[in-house]
Amino acid sequence: MSVAEERAALASRRWRVGVLALQGDVREHVAVLGMLGVEPVVVRTPDDTGRLDALVIPGGESTTMSLLLRSSGLEPAVRQMVRDGLPMLGTCAGMILLAKEVLDGRPDQISFAAIDVVVRRNGFGRQVRSFETDLDVKGLDEPMHAVFIRPPVVESVGPGVDVLAEVDVPGSPGERRPVVCRQGNVVVSSFHPELSGDGRLHAELLSRVEGD
Amino acid sequence: MSTQDGERELDSRSEHRTGTARVKRGLAEMLRGGVIMDVVDAEQAKIAEDAGAVAVMALERVPADIRRDGGVARMSDPALVEGIQQAVTIPVMAKVRIGHFAEAQVLEALEVDYIDESEVLTPADEEHHIDKWSFQVPFVCGATNLGEALRRISEGAALIRSKGEAGTGNVVEAVRHLRSILGDMRKITTADSAERYAWAKRLQAPIELVEEIAEAGHLPVPLFCAGGLATPADAALVMQLGAEAVFVGSGIFKSADPARRALAIVEATAHFEDASIVAKVSRGLGEAMPGKEISSLEVKLADRGW
């Protein structure tokens, strides 16, 4: 555990950090938060959303999560969290849901517009193009091991968005795309730090709660 | 597995590693809590996506029809697979015959997202399964018990599903397979080091995988349920037993109102522990697919695979 992670672990025990648990790799996010000393709230219905300090939206299928956000009645609750400026972390499908605009999505899929980025679903292609690599992330001492699964590609970022990491586009020498972005209290990544058990973006999320 | 990964080609500039065990299993992790639906054309694929499927399985005939028609069941026409790939944005899987690595090469060339080496099709090899490590595309394989699951994983499967008895609308075999796999895993977690060797021998599986289960308490790859699911309550049942996602084959498009039933099964899978939601979505779905008693079957598909 890094120093930042240990600090977060000490301070975070009393926080209510939600993990949207309609579909996807919920268990890995719960495990990473547990490593940081947080016992997360698993969010499946509006009854689970009371007094949350932060929300994690996991990887999975963004169109399925969109549909279940509507059918479960969670969509307005999450929109309210966005308006309240709640700290949020979204990985892969979570990035798609938190983005301002989605290309190559379904016309009816939800965009919470919590961060001013435009993303393209499956921007690197189908599963045979999924990959893992090591990335330097701004503010972190050691590189992150990044697992990309049919990842969204960031097409453009708005003026208030910090790009914390970029990746080389496979097959296009010299071309790089943002893969970790932050705006205010919202952090999104195209890849899955939770799949390699890396808690540093989650620690960053928790530091935002501390900031409140 | 690390030796297998080591053979992968490295992108010299940025070291993007494709087709690794982690990348293959990663897609299965992303499907957890979801429903993968059998579809035979682009129109059904759209209905499945509209209903919230996390992926579709492209095939020419659903298992109930394969069972009825008899004859040799093979990989689907590539044109059909491509039509479905163009119709939806979610992952597309497709089936190959057990041991038929050339069919698998064709599906890899089509860039399907997952290959199901499936007992639902007529086996092409009565002794060998495909060496799945030699592919970039991940494989899912069926299993009736833990030994079969571990043999498939040792051959490179990145996802295991129960076989159940496809095309019957009868969940009893899927329940048997899940209980067998999960029950044996629970016993292995309490086995001492000597007993682990006995388990490896009994299961005819590599000791390394038995050790991995003993330490982790679960398979090294996700475990989904397939075979005979027809209702939202069937999905809730197998999810509570420990399946991490469900495949629904004939159960949706052989029912009276496929779109509504598909949506209901998606909601029941997501909220499998909330009986009030399962009750709500189960109301007024119309006729489920007609089911079959297992004892009345001439061919048991689950017996295929070695």
Side-chain angles (χ1 to χ4, degrees):
Chain A
M1 214 188 267
S2 73
V3 177
E5 285 169 336
E6 277 173 33
R7 202 179 311 130
L10 285 175
S12 58
R13 288 175 212 287
R14 64 203 154 76
W15 294 332
R16 285 175 59 84
V17 179
V19 178
L20 188 70
L22 294 169
Q23 192 271 317
D25 70 335
V26 177
R27 186 173 70 202
E28 284 76 6
H29 281 284
V30 167
V32 166
L33 288 166
M35 192 178 85
L36 296 173
V38 175
E39 213 172 293
V41 181
V42 170
V43 177
R44 291 203 178 89
T45 69
D47 294 343
D48 306 321
T49 58
R51 297 187 299 104
L52 289 183
D53 296 308
L55 181 70
V56 175
I57 304 187
E61 191 47 60
S62 64
T63 55
T64 304
M65 283 192 222
S66 247
L67 182 136
L68 290 166
L69 277 160
R70 291 212 171 91
S71 65
S72 64
L74 274 171
E75 183 188 2
V78 177
R79 286 204 187 280
Q80 187 59 48
M81 293 179 208
V82 172
R83 277 195 293 272
D84 293 345
L86 203 74
M88 292 193 182
L89 170 66
T91 63
C92 197
M95 171 193 255
I96 295 171
L97 287 166
L98 291 174
K100 190 180 79 175
E101 193 185 341
V102 180
L103 307 175
D104 291 348
R106 288 171 56 87
D108 59 351
Q109 83 176 72
I110 292 173
S111 297
F112 287 119
I115 183 164
D116 188 5
V117 298
V118 178
V119 301
R120 184 178 298 282
R121 273 180 74 212
N122 309 325
F124 287 151
R126 299 183 188 280
Q127 170 64 11
V128 288
R129 317 248 177 252
S130 294
F131 61 95
E132 52 185 316
T133 191
D134 293 311
L135 292 176
D136 287 323
V137 179
K138 217 187 273 181
L140 300 182
D141 297 339
E142 298 289 322
M144 268 197 138
H145 188 69
V147 184
F148 290 86
I149 308 291
R150 285 171 47 104
V153 162
V154 175
E155 294 284 356
S156 64
V157 303
V161 176
D162 287 329
V163 173
L164 302 184
E166 293 182 313
V167 74
D168 294 327
V169 176
S172 303
E175 195 188 346
R176 293 172 67 78
R177 295 291 185 139
V179 289
V180 182
C181 297
R182 183 180 60 203
Q183 183 176 26
N185 278 342
V186 178
V187 180
V188 292
S189 73
S190 304
F191 60 89
H192 298 279
E194 74 281 5
L195 274 188
S196 38
D198 191 321
R200 288 176 292 172
L201 289 187
H202 297 74
E204 162 72 19
L205 175 80
L206 297 179
S207 75
R208 304 269 141 188
V209 180
E210 209 171 25
D212 292 352
Chain B
M1 270 148 267
S2 50
T3 54
Q4 302 285 346
D5 289 352
E7 290 165 13
R8 297 279 169 240
E9 199 177 317
L10 293 183
D11 179 328
S12 57
R13 252 178 52 77
S14 50
E15 293 181 10
H16 290 188
R17 299 167 71 220
T18 58
T20 62
R22 178 134 59 177
V23 164
K24 289 173 170 177
R25 294 169 188 182
L27 179 55
E29 310 286 3
M30 298 311 141
L31 303 177
R32 287 210 315 255
V35 182
I36 301 137
M37 302 183 192
D38 277 4
V39 297
V40 301
D41 56 34
E43 191 191 340
Q44 287 190 356
K46 286 298 294 174
I47 292 171
E49 188 183 54
D50 288 346
V54 288
V56 291
M57 177 75 72
L59 71 178
E60 259 164 33
R61 293 175 290 169
V62 294
D65 290 336
I66 292 173
R67 202 174 267 295
R68 187 197 61 206
D69 299 346
V72 174
R74 311 178 178 92
M75 176 188 77
S76 299
D77 184 331
L80 179 136
V81 175
E82 285 167 338
I84 289 169
Q85 284 175 317
Q86 282 154 19
V88 295
T89 65
I90 54 180
V92 175
M93 305 185 176
K95 289 181 192 288
V96 299
R97 288 178 264 178
I98 289 172
H100 206 315
F101 53 83
E103 284 187 347
Q105 289 160 357
V106 170
L107 291 186
E108 182 167 62
L110 296 178
E111 298 196 355
V112 304
D113 295 293
Y114 243 92
I115 294 175
D116 186 358
E117 186 182 19
S118 176
E119 70 285 356
V120 170
L121 305 185
T122 310
D125 189 321
E126 295 190 324
E127 199 172 345
H128 308 95
H129 283 252
I130 296 170
D131 168 16
K132 294 166 272 286
W133 293 115
S134 64
F135 287 80
Q136 290 273 314
V137 60
F139 279 74
V140 50
C141 287
T144 60
N145 58 53
L146 185 56
E148 218 177 335
L150 296 186
R151 288 195 292 281
R152 298 296 86 80
I153 293 168
S154 70
E155 295 156 2
L159 168 61
I160 294 295
R161 56 169 174 78
S162 68
K163 285 182 177 170
E165 195 53 35
T168 61
N170 189 339
V171 78
V172 65
E173 293 295 304
V175 168
R176 184 201 315 282
H177 302 160
L178 274 182
R179 281 206 179 272
S180 171
I181 294 167
L182 292 159
D184 278 354
M185 284 200 288
R186 279 189 283 268
K187 289 177 205 153
I188 287 174
T189 57
T190 60
D192 70 18
S193 54
E195 288 166 338
R196 292 177 190 178
Y197 287 98
W199 271 105
K201 190 172 157 190
R202 190 192 319 169
L203 296 172
Q204 298 176 56
I207 181 66
E208 293 77 12
L209 289 176
V210 173
E211 302 274 9
E212 214 172 324
I213 289 169
E215 303 300 329
H218 53 77
L219 290 178
V221 307
L223 173 64
F224 292 2
C225 182
L229 276 71
T231 69
D234 285 350
L237 170 71
V238 299
M239 291 295 287
Q240 286 184 52
L241 285 174
E244 297 177 286
V246 301
F247 287 84
V248 184
S250 322
I252 289 172
F253 288 100
K254 285 289 171 190
S255 73
D257 189 345
R260 274 197 65 202
R261 183 165 295 265
L263 179 61
I265 294 176
V266 166
E267 289 193 65
T269 304
H271 299 284
F272 67 92
E273 288 173 316
D274 191 333
S276 63
I277 292 179
V278 179
K280 188 182 84 182
V281 303
S282 297
R283 281 198 194 103
L285 289 181
E287 287 284 310
M289 74 174 282
K292 281 194 165 66
E293 274 284 352
I294 302 300
S295 58
S296 71
L297 301 178
E298 285 175 21
V299 179
K300 267 190 89 177
L301 302 177
D303 293 341
R304 296 167 168 177
W306 1 98

